[in-house]
Amino acid sequence: QVQLVESGGGLVQAGGSLRLSCTGSGSIFSINRMGWYRQAPGKQRELVASITSGGSTVYVDYVDSVKGRFTISRDNAKNTVYLQMNSLKPEDTAVYYCNARTDDTRPTWYDYWGQGTQVTVSS
């Protein structure tokens, strides 16, 4: 079992910045992808950013709407993944969820979720 604890959400004005943190514990050795999802009221949950380790490669991906503004990073020593959010827009308002996933190329894999943290961007 993997436990994920998020922090860093809050209220910020448009154009401002926030940094979300997600720290994992438990069987974190099994995780090869971490990401951030968000869900705005009445909307589907979407994958905002992810960072994947595969062999010698590290792959990052972003949804188009946040490219150039958000940066995902990780600190393996701290078992922590971050989402630096700059130039925030009201459209970024959502509950942000940390996600950790085991190798989903295997027949058996698992998804783990943080508790969610509210990000509200005012205009």
Side-chain angles (χ1 to χ4, degrees), residues 7 26-28 32 39 47 67 70 80 97 101 103 123:
S7 63
S27 302
I28 47 84
N32 75 336
Q39 188 164 25
L47 179 60
K67 288 181 178 178
F70 290 11
T80 299
Y97 297 91
R101 181 172 291 184
D103 184 359
S123 61

Side-chain angles (χ1 to χ4, degrees), residues 5-62:
V5 179
E6 306 173 28
S7 63
L11 174 64
V12 66
Q13 292 185 328
S17 298
L18 286 172
R19 190 191 196 194
L20 306 183
S21 298
C22 174
T23 298
S25 61
S27 302
I28 47 84
F29 62 87
S30 64
I31 302 301
N32 75 336
R33 191 196 83 169
M34 298 195 72
W36 291 93
Y37 288 75
R38 68 185 180 188
Q39 188 164 25
K43 297 184 179 179
Q44 295 179 330
R45 185 174 296 188
E46 67 174 348
L47 179 60
V48 178
S50 65
I51 182 164
T52 304
S53 177
S56 62
T57 65
V58 177
Y59 177 77
V60 297
D61 195 27
Y62 301 95

